[in-house]
Amino acid sequence: MDGNGRWAQSRGLPRVMGHHAGVEALKTTLRLCSDWGITALTAYAFSTENWSRPGDEVNFLLTLFERVLQKELQSLETEQVRIRFLGDLDGLPEKLQGLIQDAEERTSANTGIHLNVCTNYGGRRELVRATQRLAARAASGDLEPQNIDENTVAAELFTAGEQDPDLLIRTSGEHRISNFLLWQLAYAEIHVTDVFWPDFDAEALKKALLDYQSRNRRFGGLDPISP
Ligand code: IPE
Ligand code: MG
């Protein structure tokens, strides 16, 4: 969800107003995805690198997550959204951890779209954590190293049980992965748009989906009809 700060600055507003507006874009996108039959939406809300921002901005973001969770939980429940937070949640303020746990529990049986919010998330850290967990299982005799395969690794990631994303939407014109879902994005199609995240709307999502539909996904193979 990149470009919040630039969106605000281009309007002469403080950066944090961009984060505020970004929440509305996420709500809009979630509703559109749900209406259009998309089964999972994973948003990158706060990375392990974002702690290096000025303290005021970090505090604003963490407080914003708390406020939004409190305000939106009821509608997530009624709209059958199943919300999960992916990342090192232990590193978050205790109040936020409590709200996250409550939201995950209260929506766990919901049958609609899966909303995954990557919070204090880093792709490399996720892989290190998975490696440590597998090593611990191997050391305890629970797992034979030669039995470690892609499924065993995937099951130790925060995304365990989720399908890999089909489409990565990169807003604000940046062309990089920025430590997002490094394992899971192996075969994702990438759509880059110059739109700043707070301006991301139905038109922008439709463009991304049409771009995705135009791709020919071969997963390393060949077209069935190629000579
Ligand atoms: C939002 O956009 C991403 C978050 C950390 C919430 P940015 O804050 O990175 O916006 P820009 O890149 O400064 O425009
Ligand atoms: Mg940015």
Side-chain angles (χ1 to χ4, degrees), residues 145-215:
Q146 64 271 21
N147 290 339
I148 296 176
D149 61 12
E150 294 191 7
N151 292 328
T152 338
V153 175
E156 296 294 350
L157 302 176
F158 294 122
T159 48
E162 282 294 320
Q163 286 186 9
D164 288 341
D166 290 308
L167 171 64
L168 169 67
I169 300 176
R170 195 62 169 96
T171 55
S172 78
E174 306 291 358
H175 292 246
R176 54 171 178 268
I177 304 282
S178 295
N179 207 10
F180 187 52
L181 302 178
L182 295 179
W183 171 279
Q184 299 87 338
L185 291 173
Y187 278 100
E189 297 295 329
I190 301 178
H191 172 80
V192 176
T193 170
D194 286 336
V195 169
F196 292 143
W197 174 250
D199 286 330
F200 196 84
D201 58 5
E203 190 201 345
L205 180 60
K206 198 167 142 195
K207 254 192 200 153
L209 295 176
L210 288 172
D211 187 18
Y212 173 78
Q213 284 183 343
S214 75
R215 306 290 176 87

Side-chain angles (χ1 to χ4, degrees), residues 76 80-84 104 107-116 162:
L76 293 174
Q80 286 297 310
V81 177
R82 194 209 69 181
I83 192 169
R84 272 171 64 185
E104 289 189 341
T107 65
S108 64
N110 283 359
T111 53
I113 189 169
H114 293 181
L115 173 63
N116 301 311
E162 282 294 320

Side-chain angles (χ1 to χ4, degrees), residues 1-6 15 50 53 170 172 174 176:
M1 299 189 284
D2 209 357
N4 292 350
R6 281 164 284 168
R15 289 179 51 82
N50 286 147
R53 294 189 177 201
R170 195 62 169 96
S172 78
E174 306 291 358
R176 54 171 178 268

